[in-house]
Amino acid sequence: MYFIGSYWFGLHSGLCIRDSTTAITLDQLNKAIPVRASDSSCSSVSTPDECAPNSRAVKAINAAISKYGVTQRGEIVALISLMAYESANWQYNVNHFPGRPGQGTRAMLMYNFIEQYAQALYPSEATLAVGSSTEALNNVRALVLNDNDSFGSAFWYLVNKASGYHAKADKLRSGNADDFKDYIVNGVGAGWDDTRHTIWETVNSAF
């Protein structure tokens, strides 16, 4: 299993996918994740140190779009929807429910993928940090909790661990909810529920 829900939980114009310079706008993200539209929105949550408003998220998501070459609209909508669900709209950056050591990022990667991700980005630091203790697992996770790496985790996973869904004519098609469900259940190995669908619909409409 890859993502475990950490807390809870038609084709639209607006996001024009042409090449690796594709970017989303803050206005689009505010429509997609309205609860984080205000920079002060994190002050009232239980984990303010982990929470990120959309003004931070949009920069990190655009960095990931460019870094991993994920430019198809359907893929971008799917990954934003997945992260919004897993992180409770950017509130969480590590797993709290039930509190698994080493699990985290906005995509709530399980530790086996956290270690692979950290090794890919920071091989020397990750090699030194790897161990079997809770402290070691959390130290490896800490390497990838910065905004760019945390929001980039879902993009990395799609490109490197679920490549059969990336840039394919019959996968994660724009505006296709069934493709998103297929990715969650079979590409990610997570459970499906109505909340995932509702989040996807909101994000899809925003873009």
Side-chain angles (χ1 to χ4, degrees), residues 143-176:
L143 294 172
V144 294
L145 293 184
N146 65 82
D147 280 352
N148 280 358
D149 294 340
S150 188
F151 281 98
S153 60
F155 292 81
W156 170 84
Y157 182 88
L158 171 65
V159 171
N160 292 282
K161 296 299 173 180
S163 59
Y165 288 83
H166 175 48
K168 299 294 187 292
D170 61 344
K171 300 292 184 182
L172 292 176
R173 290 164 290 191
S174 182
N176 194 311

Side-chain angles (χ1 to χ4, degrees), residues 16-93:
C16 188
I17 306 302
R18 291 193 178 93
D19 52 40
S20 60
T21 63
T22 298
I24 65 171
T25 68
L26 179 57
D27 181 62
Q28 288 172 325
L29 195 59
N30 284 342
K31 291 176 181 176
I33 316 292
V35 71
R36 294 288 167 254
S38 169
D39 282 351
S40 63
S41 63
C42 289
S43 61
S44 60
V45 303
S46 60
T47 56
D49 292 343
E50 294 179 40
C51 187
N54 287 336
S55 60
R56 282 171 47 193
V58 71
K59 296 174 184 176
I61 291 169
N62 280 331
I65 288 171
S66 176
K67 181 175 183 176
Y68 294 103
V70 176
T71 60
Q72 294 187 12
R73 180 186 180 279
E75 294 181 13
I76 294 171
V77 168
L79 299 182
I80 291 174
S81 301
L82 182 153
M83 292 190 291
Y85 179 96
E86 296 294 338
S87 68
N89 295 320
W90 322 147
Q91 179 176 343
Y92 299 112
N93 207 17

Side-chain angles (χ1 to χ4, degrees), residues 99-118:
R100 294 183 186 86
Q103 183 182 1
T105 71
R106 302 300 174 188
M108 219 48 65
L109 295 178
M110 297 294 280
Y111 177 74
N112 59 316
F113 292 112
I114 287 286
E115 183 177 322
Q116 292 176 45
Y117 187 38

